[in-house]
Amino acid sequence: ATLERAVSERVPIAEVDVREGKDGTVFLFHDAHLSSDAWVFPAELHGAEAEALSMDELPFVCASAHPAECLVTLDRALE
């Protein structure tokens, strides 16, 4: 959603952080570990390193403040 807003407002440059998951999937995520302060996710992922996530788990890691906004792959973000 943030990148879409940047595009709609004609922002010339947007910086994003990416991580590579255990299956090679590249996704947008700033933090090194999953924290319940900022994210909602299955209990078994608590404290997991971002690089330990797989593509199948990304839709289950969502922003606490915006639960409909879950982690996305870099490919999806660039569409």
Side-chain angles (χ1 to χ4, degrees):
T2 303
L3 289 177
E4 289 172 347
R5 182 174 176 201
V7 169
S8 72
E9 294 185 14
R10 298 180 184 211
V11 174
I13 297 172
E15 179 265 336
V16 297
D17 295 307
V18 297
R19 302 277 180 180
E20 183 176 354
K22 66 183 177 187
D23 59 2
T25 301
V26 179
F27 58 96
L28 279 57
F29 193 65
H30 171 76
D31 303 323
H33 295 85
L34 292 179
S35 160
S36 58
D37 295 336
W39 300 94
V40 176
F41 48 82
E44 65 269 14
L45 295 177
H46 184 73
E49 292 185 10
E51 286 83 3
L53 296 173
S54 69
M55 184 168 148
D56 293 336
E57 294 167 320
L58 298 183
F60 301 104
V61 180
C62 305
S64 295
H66 305 281
E69 295 183 14
C70 302
L71 296 183
V72 297
T73 65
L74 179 60
D75 289 341
R76 173 71 178 105
L78 294 174
E79 289 179 352

Tab-separated table of all heavy atoms in Angstrom, residues 28-76:
chain	number	residue	atom	x	y	z
A	28	LEU	N	9.594	-8.015	0.856
A	28	LEU	CA	9.791	-6.737	1.527
A	28	LEU	C	9.629	-6.927	3.030
A	28	LEU	O	8.598	-7.420	3.500
A	28	LEU	CB	8.763	-5.702	1.042
A	28	LEU	CG	9.047	-4.998	-0.273
A	28	LEU	CD1	9.235	-5.939	-1.418
A	28	LEU	CD2	7.992	-3.979	-0.566
A	29	PHE	N	10.666	-6.556	3.780
A	29	PHE	CA	10.610	-6.654	5.240
A	29	PHE	C	11.835	-5.958	5.819
A	29	PHE	O	12.964	-6.226	5.405
A	29	PHE	CB	10.578	-8.118	5.678
A	29	PHE	CG	10.214	-8.318	7.125
A	29	PHE	CD1	8.959	-7.983	7.595
A	29	PHE	CD2	11.123	-8.848	8.020
A	29	PHE	CE1	8.607	-8.176	8.931
A	29	PHE	CE2	10.785	-9.053	9.357
A	29	PHE	CZ	9.537	-8.714	9.807
A	30	HIS	N	11.633	-5.085	6.770
A	30	HIS	CA	12.729	-4.321	7.359
A	30	HIS	C	13.413	-5.071	8.504
A	30	HIS	O	14.633	-5.105	8.576
A	30	HIS	CB	12.209	-2.965	7.863
A	30	HIS	CG	13.209	-2.208	8.671
A	30	HIS	ND1	14.270	-1.555	8.090
A	30	HIS	CD2	13.315	-2.018	10.003
A	30	HIS	CE1	14.997	-0.990	9.054
A	30	HIS	NE2	14.438	-1.250	10.213
A	31	ASP	N	12.645	-5.632	9.396
A	31	ASP	CA	13.178	-6.204	10.628
A	31	ASP	C	13.936	-7.512	10.398
A	31	ASP	O	13.650	-8.256	9.471
A	31	ASP	CB	12.041	-6.451	11.615
A	31	ASP	CG	11.262	-5.183	11.918
A	31	ASP	OD1	11.889	-4.103	12.008
A	31	ASP	OD2	10.038	-5.259	12.038
A	32	ALA	N	14.885	-7.783	11.275
A	32	ALA	CA	15.649	-9.035	11.192
A	32	ALA	C	14.863	-10.208	11.771
A	32	ALA	O	15.051	-11.346	11.353
A	32	ALA	CB	16.983	-8.890	11.917
A	33	HIS	N	14.003	-9.926	12.762
A	33	HIS	CA	13.212	-10.966	13.430
A	33	HIS	C	11.747	-10.545	13.494
A	33	HIS	O	11.441	-9.358	13.498
A	33	HIS	CB	13.716	-11.191	14.858
A	33	HIS	CG	15.098	-11.723	14.924
A	33	HIS	ND1	16.198	-10.910	14.888
A	33	HIS	CD2	15.561	-12.989	15.010
A	33	HIS	CE1	17.292	-11.648	14.958
A	33	HIS	NE2	16.931	-12.904	15.028
A	34	LEU	N	10.868	-11.526	13.601
A	34	LEU	CA	9.443	-11.231	13.775
A	34	LEU	C	9.190	-10.815	15.209
A	34	LEU	O	9.607	-11.483	16.145
A	34	LEU	CB	8.593	-12.448	13.442
A	34	LEU	CG	8.585	-12.868	11.980
A	34	LEU	CD1	7.712	-14.102	11.808
A	34	LEU	CD2	8.083	-11.750	11.104
A	35	SER	N	8.512	-9.698	15.374
A	35	SER	CA	8.183	-9.158	16.685
A	35	SER	C	6.682	-8.953	16.780
A	35	SER	O	6.077	-8.395	15.868
A	35	SER	CB	8.909	-7.829	16.875
A	35	SER	OG	8.296	-7.059	17.874
A	36	SER	N	6.105	-9.372	17.879
A	36	SER	CA	4.657	-9.221	18.049
A	36	SER	C	4.255	-7.765	18.268
A	36	SER	O	3.078	-7.438	18.260
A	36	SER	CB	4.165	-10.095	19.197
A	36	SER	OG	4.828	-9.757	20.391
A	37	ASP	N	5.219	-6.865	18.455
A	37	ASP	CA	4.904	-5.448	18.609
A	37	ASP	C	4.384	-4.846	17.309
A	37	ASP	O	3.512	-3.992	17.316
A	37	ASP	CB	6.140	-4.660	19.055
A	37	ASP	CG	6.617	-5.074	20.431
A	37	ASP	OD1	5.808	-5.592	21.213
A	37	ASP	OD2	7.814	-4.886	20.708
A	38	ALA	N	4.929	-5.282	16.195
A	38	ALA	CA	4.586	-4.672	14.918
A	38	ALA	C	3.838	-5.598	13.972
A	38	ALA	O	3.250	-5.135	13.008
A	38	ALA	CB	5.861	-4.191	14.222
A	39	TRP	N	3.836	-6.888	14.264
A	39	TRP	CA	3.301	-7.867	13.324
A	39	TRP	C	2.368	-8.863	14.002
A	39	TRP	O	2.528	-9.185	15.165
A	39	TRP	CB	4.442	-8.634	12.645
A	39	TRP	CG	5.332	-7.726	11.888
A	39	TRP	CD1	6.483	-7.139	12.332
A	39	TRP	CD2	5.132	-7.231	10.579
A	39	TRP	NE1	6.994	-6.315	11.373
A	39	TRP	CE2	6.194	-6.362	10.278
A	39	TRP	CE3	4.151	-7.453	9.620
A	39	TRP	CZ2	6.293	-5.701	9.062
A	39	TRP	CZ3	4.264	-6.803	8.398
A	39	TRP	CH2	5.331	-5.939	8.136
A	40	VAL	N	1.417	-9.360	13.243
A	40	VAL	CA	0.526	-10.434	13.675
A	40	VAL	C	0.901	-11.649	12.834
A	40	VAL	O	0.999	-11.541	11.614
A	40	VAL	CB	-0.957	-10.056	13.441
A	40	VAL	CG1	-1.868	-11.210	13.810
A	40	VAL	CG2	-1.312	-8.809	14.217
A	41	PHE	N	1.130	-12.783	13.493
A	41	PHE	CA	1.579	-13.984	12.795
A	41	PHE	C	1.322	-15.203	13.658
A	41	PHE	O	1.073	-15.071	14.868
A	41	PHE	CB	3.074	-13.881	12.454
A	41	PHE	CG	3.921	-13.439	13.617
A	41	PHE	CD1	4.350	-14.329	14.579
A	41	PHE	CD2	4.263	-12.110	13.755
A	41	PHE	CE1	5.114	-13.917	15.657
A	41	PHE	CE2	5.027	-11.670	14.830
A	41	PHE	CZ	5.452	-12.589	15.778
A	42	PRO	N	1.392	-16.394	13.077
A	42	PRO	CA	1.190	-17.615	13.866
A	42	PRO	C	2.229	-17.725	14.985
A	42	PRO	O	3.403	-17.347	14.799
A	42	PRO	CB	1.374	-18.738	12.838
A	42	PRO	CG	1.084	-18.103	11.523
A	42	PRO	CD	1.563	-16.683	11.654
A	43	ALA	N	1.816	-18.226	16.121
A	43	ALA	CA	2.677	-18.308	17.306
A	43	ALA	C	3.988	-19.033	17.040
A	43	ALA	O	5.030	-18.650	17.584
A	43	ALA	CB	1.926	-18.993	18.446
A	44	GLU	N	3.962	-20.045	16.191
A	44	GLU	CA	5.193	-20.810	15.945
A	44	GLU	C	6.269	-19.991	15.219
A	44	GLU	O	7.437	-20.381	15.200
A	44	GLU	CB	4.913	-22.107	15.171
A	44	GLU	CG	4.386	-21.908	13.773
A	44	GLU	CD	2.864	-21.870	13.680
A	44	GLU	OE1	2.182	-21.742	14.714
A	44	GLU	OE2	2.368	-21.971	12.558
A	45	LEU	N	5.903	-18.837	14.683
A	45	LEU	CA	6.882	-17.988	14.001
A	45	LEU	C	7.467	-16.911	14.915
A	45	LEU	O	8.368	-16.183	14.513
A	45	LEU	CB	6.251	-17.322	12.776
A	45	LEU	CG	5.811	-18.246	11.648
A	45	LEU	CD1	5.135	-17.440	10.537
A	45	LEU	CD2	6.983	-19.041	11.105
A	46	HIS	N	6.975	-16.811	16.152
A	46	HIS	CA	7.444	-15.762	17.061
A	46	HIS	C	8.958	-15.833	17.239
A	46	HIS	O	9.514	-16.878	17.532
A	46	HIS	CB	6.764	-15.874	18.428
A	46	HIS	CG	7.168	-14.761	19.337
A	46	HIS	ND1	6.723	-13.478	19.175
A	46	HIS	CD2	8.008	-14.742	20.404
A	46	HIS	CE1	7.253	-12.714	20.094
A	46	HIS	NE2	8.037	-13.454	20.857
A	47	GLY	N	9.607	-14.713	17.029
A	47	GLY	CA	11.051	-14.625	17.197
A	47	GLY	C	11.854	-15.176	16.036
A	47	GLY	O	13.082	-15.122	16.062
A	48	ALA	N	11.192	-15.693	15.029
A	48	ALA	CA	11.899	-16.276	13.887
A	48	ALA	C	12.677	-15.199	13.141
A	48	ALA	O	12.270	-14.044	13.088
A	48	ALA	CB	10.917	-16.950	12.933
A	49	GLU	N	13.801	-15.596	12.579
A	49	GLU	CA	14.539	-14.695	11.712
A	49	GLU	C	13.760	-14.535	10.410
A	49	GLU	O	13.148	-15.483	9.925
A	49	GLU	CB	15.928	-15.246	11.422
A	49	GLU	CG	16.825	-15.264	12.627
A	49	GLU	CD	18.240	-15.697	12.285
A	49	GLU	OE1	18.575	-15.808	11.089
A	49	GLU	OE2	18.995	-15.928	13.223
A	50	ALA	N	13.810	-13.353	9.852
A	50	ALA	CA	13.095	-13.095	8.602
A	50	ALA	C	13.533	-14.071	7.513
A	50	ALA	O	12.708	-14.563	6.748
A	50	ALA	CB	13.329	-11.656	8.155
A	51	GLU	N	14.806	-14.391	7.476
A	51	GLU	CA	15.326	-15.285	6.450
A	51	GLU	C	14.832	-16.722	6.612
A	51	GLU	O	15.023	-17.553	5.731
A	51	GLU	CB	16.854	-15.249	6.424
A	51	GLU	CG	17.426	-13.978	5.802
A	51	GLU	CD	17.515	-12.805	6.774
A	51	GLU	OE1	17.187	-12.965	7.970
A	51	GLU	OE2	17.887	-11.712	6.328
A	52	ALA	N	14.203	-17.026	7.734
A	52	ALA	CA	13.670	-18.373	7.966
A	52	ALA	C	12.265	-18.539	7.386
A	52	ALA	O	11.729	-19.640	7.377
A	52	ALA	CB	13.657	-18.690	9.462
A	53	LEU	N	11.676	-17.453	6.892
A	53	LEU	CA	10.330	-17.525	6.322
A	53	LEU	C	10.369	-18.094	4.905
A	53	LEU	O	11.355	-17.951	4.196
A	53	LEU	CB	9.695	-16.137	6.272
A	53	LEU	CG	9.431	-15.462	7.614
A	53	LEU	CD1	8.974	-14.036	7.398
A	53	LEU	CD2	8.412	-16.245	8.406
A	54	SER	N	9.273	-18.716	4.523
A	54	SER	CA	9.133	-19.209	3.155
A	54	SER	C	7.999	-18.441	2.473
A	54	SER	O	7.207	-17.764	3.131
A	54	SER	CB	8.807	-20.698	3.154
A	54	SER	OG	7.507	-20.918	3.659
A	55	MET	N	7.908	-18.584	1.173
A	55	MET	CA	6.859	-17.901	0.416
A	55	MET	C	5.466	-18.270	0.930
A	55	MET	O	4.584	-17.416	0.997
A	55	MET	CB	6.975	-18.249	-1.068
A	55	MET	CG	6.001	-17.510	-1.939
A	55	MET	SD	6.468	-17.723	-3.658
A	55	MET	CE	4.884	-17.698	-4.424
A	56	ASP	N	5.276	-19.503	1.329
A	56	ASP	CA	3.968	-19.949	1.828
A	56	ASP	C	3.582	-19.285	3.144
A	56	ASP	O	2.398	-19.212	3.468
A	56	ASP	CB	3.956	-21.467	1.998
A	56	ASP	CG	4.065	-22.197	0.675
A	56	ASP	OD1	3.708	-21.605	-0.372
A	56	ASP	OD2	4.511	-23.355	0.673
A	57	GLU	N	4.552	-18.818	3.915
A	57	GLU	CA	4.263	-18.199	5.213
A	57	GLU	C	4.007	-16.693	5.119
A	57	GLU	O	3.399	-16.112	6.023
A	57	GLU	CB	5.423	-18.460	6.180
A	57	GLU	CG	5.566	-19.930	6.527
A	57	GLU	CD	6.868	-20.259	7.221
A	57	GLU	OE1	7.920	-19.694	6.834
A	57	GLU	OE2	6.833	-21.097	8.138
A	58	LEU	N	4.442	-16.056	4.051
A	58	LEU	CA	4.326	-14.603	3.937
A	58	LEU	C	2.905	-14.075	4.108
A	58	LEU	O	2.711	-13.060	4.790
A	58	LEU	CB	4.904	-14.119	2.605
A	58	LEU	CG	6.388	-14.385	2.367
A	58	LEU	CD1	6.816	-13.774	1.033
A	58	LEU	CD2	7.250	-13.889	3.494
A	59	PRO	N	1.880	-14.722	3.537
A	59	PRO	CA	0.519	-14.188	3.697
A	59	PRO	C	-0.008	-14.229	5.129
A	59	PRO	O	-1.036	-13.628	5.428
A	59	PRO	CB	-0.333	-15.097	2.805
A	59	PRO	CG	0.617	-15.751	1.879
A	59	PRO	CD	1.913	-15.844	2.620
A	60	PHE	N	0.708	-14.911	6.028
A	60	PHE	CA	0.261	-15.031	7.417
A	60	PHE	C	0.994	-14.078	8.349
A	60	PHE	O	0.768	-14.082	9.552
A	60	PHE	CB	0.427	-16.477	7.901
A	60	PHE	CG	-0.355	-17.443	7.066
A	60	PHE	CD1	0.270	-18.249	6.143
A	60	PHE	CD2	-1.739	-17.516	7.190
A	60	PHE	CE1	-0.464	-19.136	5.356
A	60	PHE	CE2	-2.478	-18.386	6.409
A	60	PHE	CZ	-1.834	-19.196	5.484
A	61	VAL	N	1.888	-13.262	7.811
A	61	VAL	CA	2.606	-12.265	8.594
A	61	VAL	C	2.077	-10.902	8.153
A	61	VAL	O	2.352	-10.438	7.051
A	61	VAL	CB	4.131	-12.365	8.374
A	61	VAL	CG1	4.848	-11.315	9.209
A	61	VAL	CG2	4.638	-13.764	8.716
A	62	CYS	N	1.287	-10.276	9.037
A	62	CYS	CA	0.587	-9.038	8.679
A	62	CYS	C	0.885	-7.933	9.697
A	62	CYS	O	1.156	-8.207	10.865
A	62	CYS	CB	-0.912	-9.284	8.619
A	62	CYS	SG	-1.357	-10.644	7.513
A	63	ALA	N	0.799	-6.710	9.253
A	63	ALA	CA	1.066	-5.550	10.110
A	63	ALA	C	0.002	-5.441	11.197
A	63	ALA	O	-1.184	-5.554	10.915
A	63	ALA	CB	1.100	-4.281	9.271
A	64	SER	N	0.433	-5.214	12.429
A	64	SER	CA	-0.514	-5.065	13.541
A	64	SER	C	-1.452	-3.892	13.306
A	64	SER	O	-2.653	-3.985	13.553
A	64	SER	CB	0.235	-4.843	14.854
A	64	SER	OG	0.996	-5.965	15.197
A	65	ALA	N	-0.914	-2.789	12.838
A	65	ALA	CA	-1.719	-1.582	12.637
A	65	ALA	C	-2.635	-1.688	11.421
A	65	ALA	O	-3.645	-0.999	11.345
A	65	ALA	CB	-0.806	-0.373	12.490
A	66	HIS	N	-2.284	-2.545	10.476
A	66	HIS	CA	-3.061	-2.717	9.237
A	66	HIS	C	-3.126	-4.208	8.907
A	66	HIS	O	-2.401	-4.680	8.023
A	66	HIS	CB	-2.423	-1.946	8.078
A	66	HIS	CG	-2.226	-0.499	8.368
A	66	HIS	ND1	-3.251	0.411	8.285
A	66	HIS	CD2	-1.140	0.196	8.771
A	66	HIS	CE1	-2.793	1.610	8.618
A	66	HIS	NE2	-1.519	1.508	8.916
A	67	PRO	N	-3.958	-4.974	9.601
A	67	PRO	CA	-3.978	-6.432	9.444
A	67	PRO	C	-4.212	-6.938	8.026
A	67	PRO	O	-3.847	-8.058	7.713
A	67	PRO	CB	-5.115	-6.877	10.362
A	67	PRO	CG	-5.268	-5.766	11.345
A	67	PRO	CD	-4.888	-4.514	10.605
A	68	ALA	N	-4.760	-6.125	7.165
A	68	ALA	CA	-4.971	-6.561	5.779
A	68	ALA	C	-3.696	-6.445	4.947
A	68	ALA	O	-3.642	-6.913	3.824
A	68	ALA	CB	-6.087	-5.757	5.136
A	69	GLU	N	-2.661	-5.814	5.500
A	69	GLU	CA	-1.402	-5.640	4.795
A	69	GLU	C	-0.384	-6.654	5.295
A	69	GLU	O	0.191	-6.493	6.359
A	69	GLU	CB	-0.885	-4.216	4.970
A	69	GLU	CG	-1.797	-3.183	4.337
A	69	GLU	CD	-1.266	-1.767	4.446
A	69	GLU	OE1	-0.077	-1.581	4.773
A	69	GLU	OE2	-2.052	-0.850	4.200
A	70	CYS	N	-0.193	-7.689	4.500
A	70	CYS	CA	0.725	-8.768	4.856
A	70	CYS	C	1.981	-8.673	3.999
A	70	CYS	O	2.031	-7.934	3.025
A	70	CYS	CB	0.038	-10.112	4.673
A	70	CYS	SG	-1.468	-10.247	5.682
A	71	LEU	N	3.001	-9.434	4.381
A	71	LEU	CA	4.253	-9.410	3.639
A	71	LEU	C	4.025	-9.826	2.192
A	71	LEU	O	3.234	-10.717	1.906
A	71	LEU	CB	5.270	-10.352	4.278
A	71	LEU	CG	5.725	-9.990	5.685
A	71	LEU	CD1	6.795	-10.972	6.149
A	71	LEU	CD2	6.256	-8.572	5.748
A	72	VAL	N	4.732	-9.174	1.300
A	72	VAL	CA	4.624	-9.482	-0.126
A	72	VAL	C	6.005	-9.718	-0.707
A	72	VAL	O	7.010	-9.205	-0.208
A	72	VAL	CB	3.919	-8.353	-0.920
A	72	VAL	CG1	2.496	-8.173	-0.467
A	72	VAL	CG2	4.679	-7.050	-0.841
A	73	THR	N	6.014	-10.482	-1.787
A	73	THR	CA	7.269	-10.712	-2.491
A	73	THR	C	7.679	-9.445	-3.237
A	73	THR	O	6.851	-8.579	-3.519
A	73	THR	CB	7.154	-11.859	-3.506
A	73	THR	OG1	6.225	-11.483	-4.529
A	73	THR	CG2	6.711	-13.155	-2.830
A	74	LEU	N	8.950	-9.350	-3.553
A	74	LEU	CA	9.434	-8.220	-4.328
A	74	LEU	C	8.744	-8.205	-5.686
A	74	LEU	O	8.342	-7.129	-6.169
A	74	LEU	CB	10.950	-8.292	-4.481
A	74	LEU	CG	11.587	-7.184	-5.300
A	74	LEU	CD1	11.316	-5.817	-4.696
A	74	LEU	CD2	13.091	-7.430	-5.427
A	75	ASP	N	8.599	-9.357	-6.309
A	75	ASP	CA	7.914	-9.428	-7.604
A	75	ASP	C	6.513	-8.834	-7.526
A	75	ASP	O	6.094	-8.074	-8.393
A	75	ASP	CB	7.843	-10.866	-8.119
A	75	ASP	CG	9.195	-11.395	-8.558
A	75	ASP	OD1	10.112	-10.591	-8.816
A	75	ASP	OD2	9.332	-12.632	-8.645
A	76	ARG	N	5.781	-9.187	-6.501
A	76	ARG	CA	4.407	-8.686	-6.326
A	76	ARG	C	4.408	-7.177	-6.127
A	76	ARG	O	3.571	-6.457	-6.672
A	76	ARG	CB	3.736	-9.395	-5.147
A	76	ARG	CG	2.384	-8.856	-4.760
A	76	ARG	CD	1.314	-9.201	-5.800
A	76	ARG	NE	0.039	-8.697	-5.368
A	76	ARG	CZ	-0.559	-7.613	-5.880
A	76	ARG	NH1	-0.004	-6.953	-6.854
A	76	ARG	NH2	-1.712	-7.204	-5.430
